[in-house]
Amino acid sequence: MTDDLQDRIQAALAHPQNLGELADADAVGTVGNAECGEMLRLWVRFRDQDGKRVIDRATFQSFGCETAIAVASLATELIRGKTAEEALALKTGDLAGELGPLPPMKIHCAQLVEGALHSALDPEAEKTQKSPAPGGGSTLLDSFAKPKPGVKLTFLDEEK
Ligand code: FES
């Protein structure tokens, strides 16, 4: 990764936008990448504007890398005021916004955000995503805090 890109990612991370659960969301989408183990959940709330249903606000939570968080931060700002169709038409390069082109090894980080967006906004996915996440929780952390029977989670000591 170039120093330039690393600087832009750090700049986005210095003031991350739209972090956290959106309590009154109309849609939620969750995706994970099995290869790197990152997860991202996106909440979307709509409002009516000039006879159209547009995105009022989108928020996210991520157990993801810096690039995924930076893209999610930029993308949740970018999709404000867009219809679901307009947001779904955005490609990974659009969602990465001012980060600019990502190197091949980081493109899947933006695809994680794109996937969560499609999971939330695709009409068919929307119907299924309104139910609680696997594990019974509504947030990503809940998913881990309420693991399936037989699964033991160990939390690392922050002091070390
Ligand atoms: Fe996998 Fe970034 S390294 S989402």
Side-chain angles (χ1 to χ4, degrees), residues 36 38 65 68 106 108-109 112:
C36 65
E38 316 286 17
C65 69
K106 287 290 175 186
H108 79 276
C109 311
L112 198 71

Side-chain angles (χ1 to χ4, degrees), residues 92-151:
T92 50
D94 304 317
L95 296 172
E98 59 204 55
L99 294 183
L102 298 174
M105 64 189 244
K106 287 290 175 186
I107 287 175
H108 79 276
C109 311
Q111 287 171 335
L112 198 71
V113 178
E114 184 182 25
L117 193 60
H118 280 253
S119 175
L121 298 182
D122 179 87
E124 288 309 306
E126 187 177 337
K127 285 180 200 153
T128 57
Q129 292 296 326
K130 289 211 172 211
S131 57
S138 63
T139 68
L140 271 186
L141 187 58
D142 287 342
S143 301
F144 286 91
K146 299 171 189 167
K148 292 178 183 160
V151 175

